[in-house]
Amino acid sequence: MNGSSGDHETLWRGPLLAWSALLALAAISLGSAYLPLGAGNVAVNLVIAVVMAAVLAIFLMDLRNGTTLVRIVASTGLFWMIFMFVLTFSDYLSRG
Amino acid sequence: MSEMTLQYAPTEESVATSYLDEGHTVLSWLLTTDHKRIAILYALSITAFFFIGGVAIGLVRLELISPTGWFMTSDEYNRAFTIHGIIMVWFFLVPSIPATMGNFVLPMMIGAPDVAFPRLNLLSWYLYLIGASFTVYVLLSGGVDTGWTFYPPFSSTYSHSSVVPAAIGVFVVGFSSIATGVNFMATVHLLRAPGMTWFRLPLFAWSMYVVSMVMVLATPVLAMSLLLICAERLFGLPIFDASVGGDPVLFQHLFWFYSHPAVYIMILPAMGVVSEVFACFARRRVFGYAFMVYALLTIGVVGFMVWGHHMFVAGQSPLANLIFSFLSFIVAVPSAIKVFNWTATLYRGQIGFEAPMLYALGFLGLFTIGGLTGLFLASVPIDIAATDSYFVVAHFHTIMVGGTVSAFMAGIHYWWPKVTGRRYHEFAAQLAAIAMFLGFNLTFIPQFIMGWLGMPRRYHFYPDVFQIWHVLSSGGAAMLAVAYLMPLGYLGWSLFNGDRAGDNPWGATGLEWQTPSPPPKRNFLRPPQVTSAPYQYHDIGRAREEVEQAPVEGRGDAR
Ligand SMILES: [Cu+2]
């Protein structure tokens, strides 16, 4: 609707690139599971997950071209994730 | 994204053509992008599923008349109550008010010619149909027996029923509610008529806005947790399986992160409907409008932080139980504010007991009972005793059936003249409303009692002492069935034989009433201009009594 993705030739290029990046990251994530890193596996997977989320937000959701309002709305999603994690961990981190 | 304009009716159009006359072929309906026609497509589909879900629970209530069961195996019984739950929650209650009345009325209320994304709106109905056809497949393939909650390890490992098709059906229908939510949010942000500021929005519009946020933020989590169940069931991915390091309680966290807010997806729209109805039929401005708005927003946000109250006996830590219990008490505060404000709206009003008002009053009483029994269950020690008992069943049916379905009926009757241009038979509707209220109480008060006495849910064999309560409850269910069938009769009759309603038979002030009934394709003949806050009923008073039967020309917002 605005920004650089206006014309039809390039409309699909960004999302397609982002999608292939996500698939590649998924493959790396799968591959890394076979490396004997111990607790390191979890760390690697979390890093990959963060990169995936960033690719999603910046390119697939096109937040780099979004208006402030759209960015605020999108960031509420992040805020809600904080609810989810904090309260879920209130269970897991305090189990006897 | 900030510049969006949709065309109103062409200015040269002077005679209103009703949206119903814009094509009479089946295709003109199936390919429509008119929000009003999509609302009707939705209304027909969810009504069909309401009665399918109703048949399922009818069989359950019939089976429960005898303490030893008499025509179902335990397996069949499990499948009957599961399909009732899945259909009623996802194929009736979640879309009920937003997809029908929200679709029809929201754009008109804010003075818009359509929703922001009309084709996405149609797509959402087709997504509903695709999800629904999976559910029909589940029915035909013998059903699913996990309960509507899909808890592992039963759903992921042990169940031999159609778990995956059922989960996919719910997964797909979730996208239809996300589409509706995105659409409504964009509509409220971008398509308000000149002068329609945020604090002039009718409370129904506010409730649609808040419920859209909840839909968009919560539904993806449901989609994800159901996909994980499918992944574990189909491919053995060890996510919830404790024997290989997974955690079955994690599913409950994810599932209820959606499904508690889903309670608000079901009840917030109902709150919006009754706010309109109380103001109109008490001829009063809604008491404490700003607080009503803040209460809706608070419920929408805090509703996301209470899900753990479903897991007090699931192995959740005592600290988490404490936190979730406390937060659940907090979320009762804005709900109570709303109940008090509705009551204050009625105070010294010129109250009329037309059917929409009867349904709305039923909502008020039953929502209060449902909310207060929810407080019992938010308390950890009481919940530990009452978990998985009929007390819980009665509690949430009081909110969802006593609350949401009552408000759904209130809205159907209130906007019926708007949608069809016809009057329904008032006395028949009043009878149905009273029968629904009495039938509801006869069904669920015995369930509160036997639940408190220890009758567990989801069993069809039970000790003889509970039989009297089950028989009473089944009698109430029969009465409810009659009360639900009655509107099909008199509303159907009204479609063809009802008196012409005029544009604004209730003398209501909402913008949706300041245009012909049924409305023209683009809703308004001229772009509306809003100059005042909603609910200016003081000026009009109970005008329709003074002019006898003559329909009152609505004044109010659009001047
Ligand atoms: Cu809950």
Side-chain angles (χ1 to χ4, degrees):
Chain A
M1 291 187 202
N2 57 11
S4 61
S5 56
D7 91 84
H8 280 269
E9 301 288 301
T10 56
L11 193 61
W12 290 97
R13 193 182 296 157
L16 267 180
L17 278 174
W19 186 58
S20 4
L22 288 173
L23 286 183
L25 286 164
I28 295 172
S29 173
L30 180 68
S32 76
Y34 291 96
L35 301 175
L37 300 176
N41 282 117
V42 175
V44 170
N45 277 303
L46 285 178
V47 169
I48 293 173
V50 169
V51 177
M52 279 175 147
V55 169
L56 258 169
I58 298 169
F59 298 103
L60 214 57
M61 292 167 71
D62 202 31
L63 286 182
R64 64 194 163 139
N65 296 317
T67 60
T68 316
L69 180 64
V70 170
R71 285 182 192 172
I72 291 174
V73 170
S75 64
T76 54
L78 208 63
F79 197 61
W80 255 250
M81 288 243 307
I82 295 174
F83 289 171
M84 188 159 92
F85 278 94
V86 167
L87 285 170
T88 304
F89 278 111
S90 83
D91 171 18
Y92 282 95
L93 299 182
S94 64
R95 282 197 195 164
Chain B
M1 187 121 170
S2 55
E3 295 307 316
M4 280 193 75
T5 45
L6 293 179
Q7 296 298 312
Y8 291 96
T11 36
E12 67 269 20
E13 184 179 349
S14 52
V15 184
T17 324
S18 137
Y19 74 102
L20 293 167
D21 290 326
E22 300 270 343
H24 294 276
T25 60
V26 174
L27 267 191
S28 78
W29 282 87
L30 292 183
L31 297 178
T32 185
T33 53
D34 183 339
H35 65 103
K36 300 183 286 302
R37 286 189 165 212
I38 294 170
I40 288 173
L41 293 175
Y42 257 119
L44 294 173
S45 345
I46 67 166
T47 303
F49 274 91
F50 178 76
F51 283 101
I52 298 176
V55 167
I57 202 60
L59 293 173
V60 165
R61 287 297 347 150
L62 212 54
E63 170 75 0
L64 287 169
I65 287 174
S66 155
T68 51
W70 56 285
F71 69 93
M72 279 187 187
T73 63
S74 297
D75 196 37
E76 288 162 354
Y77 181 77
N78 293 343
R79 288 163 198 245
F81 71 69
T82 300
I83 206 70
H84 163 73
I86 289 177
I87 285 181
M88 289 305 201
V89 170
W90 284 298
F91 294 93
F92 178 73
L93 284 167
V94 166
S96 62
I97 293 174
T100 59
M101 290 161 229
N103 247 331
F104 200 102
V105 177
L106 174 67
M108 302 177 70
M109 263 186 172
I110 64 172
D114 205 316
V115 291
F117 308 118
R119 280 178 293 181
L120 179 65
N121 202 14
L122 182 63
L123 177 67
S124 90
W125 180 67
Y126 279 103
L127 287 170
Y128 175 92
L129 276 198
I130 295 170
S133 42
F134 274 95
T135 304
V136 170
Y137 167 79
V138 170
L139 266 175
L140 299 178
S141 70
V144 55
D145 61 354
T146 59
W148 74 281
T149 49
F150 292 104
Y151 276 6
F154 185 64
S155 63
S156 57
T157 313
Y158 301 107
S159 170
H160 294 293
S161 60
S162 304
V163 178
V164 172
I168 293 176
V170 174
F171 177 82
V172 174
V173 87
F175 282 92
S176 104
S177 45
I178 294 173
T180 302
V182 168
N183 219 336
F184 284 4
M185 274 204 275
T187 305
V188 175
H189 271 279
L190 302 174
L191 296 182
R192 280 171 290 131
M196 181 58 90
T197 57
W198 283 94
F199 276 80
R200 285 179 180 169
L201 284 176
L203 289 170
F204 181 73
W206 267 112
S207 78
M208 284 299 114
Y209 181 70
V210 176
V211 84
S212 300
M213 286 204 284
V214 179
M215 280 171 164
V216 170
L217 290 164
T219 316
V221 181
L222 171 75
M224 180 187 73
S225 43
L226 291 176
L227 274 192
L228 291 175
I229 286 284
C230 293
E232 180 152 342
R233 190 173 168 87
L234 294 175
F235 311 116
L237 256 64
I239 300 153
F240 305 122
D241 182 352
S243 64
V244 284
D247 180 14
V249 177
L250 179 62
F251 176 81
Q252 298 187 25
H253 276 298
L254 297 175
F255 180 83
W256 289 110
F257 184 84
Y258 164 81
S259 290
H260 185 83
V263 173
Y264 296 111
I265 293 177
M266 300 177 224
I267 200 70
L268 288 170
M271 294 170 161
V273 171
V274 299
S275 298
E276 302 300 314
V277 170
F278 282 139
C280 178
F281 290 89
R283 314 310 295 174
R284 293 265 291 162
R285 186 180 293 133
V286 171
F287 182 87
Y289 169 87
F291 267 92
M292 293 300 247
V293 172
Y294 296 134
L296 283 173
L297 288 165
T298 313
I299 293 171
V301 175
V302 182
F304 273 95
M305 299 189 260
V306 302
W307 78 84
H309 61 216
H310 296 271
M311 302 164 59
F312 287 160
V313 299
Q316 188 173 246
S317 77
L319 174 69
N321 284 355
L322 192 72
I323 293 171
F324 280 118
S325 172
F326 177 72
L327 289 167
S328 304
F329 281 114
I330 297 286
V331 81
V333 175
S335 306
I337 289 177
K338 297 197 77 73
V339 168
F340 288 126
N341 283 11
W342 287 318
T343 314
T345 304
L346 299 177
Y347 179 62
R348 299 178 77 176
Q350 296 168 283
I351 293 173
F353 292 104
E354 286 90 344
M357 187 62 151
L358 290 183
Y359 282 113
L361 290 170
F363 168 95
L364 187 59
L366 295 175
F367 175 75
T368 305
I369 294 175
L372 290 177
T373 50
L375 285 180
F376 288 32
L377 295 171
S379 152
V380 178
I382 295 179
D383 184 70
I384 286 173
T387 289
D388 279 344
S389 75
Y390 264 80
F391 190 84
V392 176
V393 174
H395 153 68
F396 71 74
H397 281 86
T398 308
I399 295 288
M400 289 175 195
V401 185
T404 304
V405 177
S406 293
F408 179 78
M409 299 304 298
I412 290 283
H413 289 79
Y414 178 56
W415 283 302
W416 183 260
K418 181 85 259 169
V419 174
T420 63
R422 305 266 188 177
R423 301 298 296 260
Y424 56 84
H425 193 288
E426 188 61 54
F427 183 64
Q430 287 168 322
L431 274 187
I434 292 168
M436 214 172 279
F437 183 75
L438 295 180
F440 179 86
N441 283 301
L442 184 54
T443 309
F444 289 101
I445 289 176
Q447 296 193 12
F448 274 122
I449 297 171
M450 69 175 139
W452 200 249
L453 296 175
M455 172 72 207
R457 69 195 286 202
R458 295 182 172 174
Y459 285 83
H460 68 142
F461 294 166
Y462 56 85
D464 290 345
V465 288
F466 295 124
Q467 186 175 18
I468 176 67
W469 305 116
H470 274 298
V471 171
L472 283 173
S473 183
S474 295
M479 192 167 171
L480 265 184
V482 173
Y484 289 142
L485 287 168
M486 283 174 69
L488 283 188
Y490 63 77
L491 291 180
W493 189 88
S494 134
L495 269 187
F496 302 102
N497 307 303
D499 295 340
R500 294 285 169 187
D503 291 346
N504 188 3
W506 310 122
T509 62
L511 214 45
E512 80 272 24
W513 293 101
Q514 319 308 322
T515 183
S517 303
K521 184 161 191 275
R522 308 303 279 172
N523 295 347
F524 298 94
L525 299 176
R526 280 159 258 102
Q529 192 86 31
V530 182
T531 53
S532 65
Y535 311 122
Q536 301 292 322
Y537 283 106
H538 289 74
D539 311 355
I540 307 177
R542 199 162 185 76
R544 64 185 186 284
E545 272 181 0
E546 288 146 27
V547 238
E548 294 289 309
Q549 298 289 50
V552 177
E553 187 67 34
R555 313 193 276 118
D557 288 346
R559 289 193 187 150

